[in-house]
Amino acid sequence: MHLTLAQMAITALLIALLPASIVWTSSDANKYRKLVWVSVFLTFDLIVFGAFTRLTDSGLGCPDWPGCYGAANPFLAHEQIVAAESLMPTGPVTVFKAWIEMIHRYLAMTIGILIVAMMAQSWYQWIRTRRVEYAPWLPTFLFFFVCLQGAFGAWTVTLKLQPVIVTTHLLLGLGLLAILAWYGGRQNQLIAPVRSVVSASPPAMRNIRILALVSGLLLLVQLALGGWTSTNYATLACTDFPLCGGKLIPDMDFEHGFTLWRELGKTAAGHYLPFSALTAIHWTHRNVGLIVALAAGYTAWRAWDHQALHKTARNIVMTLCVQIATGIATIFLSFPLTIAVLHNAGAALLVLLLTVLNYKAKYQHDLAKKAASSASHPPASTVRH
């Protein structure tokens, strides 16, 4: 066990050298900021690859944790994997699925290493310089947050893909993306602050912040429902749109569908989950999605005319359109893998964009307040006597 952990740690460190070298050789004068944004990029990639892992039923490609049959990689466990595949050719354990699962784990470990590097650098620079951009509180929180995420990754395997654990693991990954994106926006403004204020009053920017926060909270609910739909394999419970089973309100079993603590495919009592429960899960996810689209679309519309927010608002609208299209296509094209992965990527991108919009609106709000305060209280040297 200890040898396996050592081998995995060394492998993850070697993999982490690639993004670390990108940071080191970057033309960005501030390597710390570059490290934050590289971590954002890799976290987004991890979420998308995690969706691919889930959608290909590779979550138990290696049925133990952290290694694969006690080994550091599928090469070393090839004999056991082939034996398991020969007994059940479609899985859950196959050579292909084992590699997918272990790549996902190593990518997660790489991000963990980058966050450790971020925390260590922030503490080092903070002790030396006391500069605000190196305040170590958020990087330290991120370290503990990613440890919690790793724990849920382990429980995902050891509890055999229990839906509430898998869904929580997904939400924590999206939360990590949001926190890193917020921190990246903060680094941008602290290191290279914008010197001009958008032509908007502080109340206007405050309202956009509130709208972005409300849209983000609604999106959180929708992400939980999307994870619950995916982990319960309820994606094709409704195979038509906008109706479901030819009905506006189909027969649904909300009690069993939304019982959280139960095994995959089972009720809390251990019976097989009825199809009406899957219908309830799918139908709820579909309709809450409409509410989220309206809220995020309205938020983007309110931000559209402000120069500092326009690009982010436009990207939110574009992502919403693609997200709706991929969601509908998943139904009509009977759950094609590529479209389903794109749908998950769109959800992660919405998290990223709404977080960026919220931070930009906050920053512009602060600038507008400072400008208003300066206008009403000019420096003493400029006041005529």
Side-chain angles (χ1 to χ4, degrees):
M1 180 64 173
H2 295 297
L3 178 60
T4 298
L5 286 173
Q7 290 173 331
M8 293 184 70
I10 293 170
T11 303
L13 284 169
L14 291 174
I15 296 171
L17 286 177
L18 177 59
S21 65
I22 293 173
V23 172
W24 184 255
T25 59
S26 168
S27 59
D28 194 324
N30 191 289
K31 307 301 183 186
Y32 185 76
R33 174 175 63 176
K34 187 70 175 181
L35 175 61
V36 174
W37 281 109
V38 167
S39 299
V40 171
F41 174 77
L42 288 177
T43 301
F44 179 85
D45 291 343
L46 175 63
I47 291 169
V48 176
F49 195 80
F52 178 75
T53 302
R54 185 172 65 256
L55 293 166
T56 55
D57 295 324
S58 300
L60 295 178
C62 289
D64 53 338
W65 192 93
C68 194
Y69 286 98
N73 61 65
F75 275 132
L76 300 176
H78 185 75
E79 183 178 343
Q80 294 94 323
I81 296 170
V82 170
E85 185 174 1
S86 64
L87 293 174
M88 297 182 66
T90 59
V93 178
T94 67
V95 173
F96 176 71
K97 292 178 179 182
W99 274 109
I100 292 175
E101 171 65 3
M102 287 307 295
I103 290 171
H104 176 64
R105 292 184 195 179
Y106 275 117
L107 181 55
M109 292 173 68
T110 298
I111 293 169
I113 290 170
L114 294 181
I115 289 175
V116 169
M118 192 187 306
M119 179 180 67
Q121 178 70 356
S122 67
W123 274 107
Y124 174 72
Q125 293 293 347
W126 174 255
I127 291 171
R128 286 182 65 248
T129 67
R130 297 289 172 173
R131 289 169 57 180
V132 65
E133 64 264 31
Y134 294 117
W137 324 124
L138 187 55
T140 303
F141 173 77
L142 279 169
F143 169 74
F144 289 105
F145 193 93
V146 81
C147 289
L148 177 64
Q149 170 72 341
F152 271 90
W155 293 330
T156 294
V157 177
T158 57
L159 295 177
K160 307 302 179 186
L161 305 182
Q162 189 160 337
V164 69
I165 299 296
V166 179
T167 301
T168 304
H169 185 53
L170 170 64
L171 292 176
L172 287 172
L174 292 164
L176 179 63
L177 177 66
I179 297 169
L180 281 168
W182 178 272
Y183 191 51
R186 182 173 179 270
Q187 291 302 308
N188 285 349
Q189 304 302 352
L190 287 173
I191 294 169
V194 176
R195 300 188 182 280
S196 59
V197 181
V198 296
S199 56
S201 63
M205 284 297 164
R206 183 177 63 248
N207 290 339
I208 291 174
R209 278 202 73 199
I210 293 172
L211 286 171
L213 178 60
V214 171
S215 296
L217 291 174
L218 288 171
L219 179 61
L220 175 63
V221 174
Q222 176 66 349
L223 292 169
L225 288 169
W228 194 244
T229 301
S230 178
T231 55
N232 281 282
Y233 297 89
T235 304
L236 295 180
C238 299
T239 55
D240 50 345
F241 182 88
L243 301 179
C244 178
K247 299 178 181 179
L248 184 62
I249 302 179
D251 297 328
M252 292 179 283
D253 182 351
F254 286 95
E255 179 183 356
H256 288 119
F258 289 95
T259 297
L260 298 183
W261 195 259
R262 56 177 173 77
E263 294 181 30
L264 176 62
K266 301 289 185 67
T267 66
H271 306 301
Y272 286 111
L273 198 66
F275 187 77
S276 57
L278 301 180
T279 303
I281 295 170
H282 180 111
W283 186 87
T284 304
H285 175 58
R286 176 188 291 190
N287 286 279
V288 172
L290 176 61
I291 298 172
V292 172
L294 292 173
Y298 179 69
T299 301
W301 177 69
R302 290 290 299 272
W304 191 274
D305 291 332
H306 300 292
Q307 182 181 358
L309 309 179
H310 175 77
K311 184 177 179 180
T312 305
R314 182 191 63 196
N315 289 337
I316 288 173
V317 172
M318 291 172 60
T319 304
L320 281 173
C321 291
V322 173
Q323 189 70 349
I324 293 169
T326 54
I328 296 173
T330 299
I331 297 169
F332 284 113
L333 298 179
S334 299
F335 197 50
L337 178 61
T338 302
I339 293 177
V341 172
L342 285 175
H343 191 61
N344 281 264
L349 188 56
L350 279 175
V351 170
L352 182 62
L353 290 171
L354 282 172
T355 302
V356 169
L357 180 67
N358 195 298
Y359 188 86
K360 285 184 175 180
K362 173 188 178 299
Y363 183 69
Q364 294 299 318
H365 171 264
D366 293 343
L367 284 180
K369 282 184 67 176
K370 288 180 182 178
S373 177
S374 298
S376 59
H377 300 89
S381 60
T382 64
V383 179
R384 294 190 177 187
H385 298 282

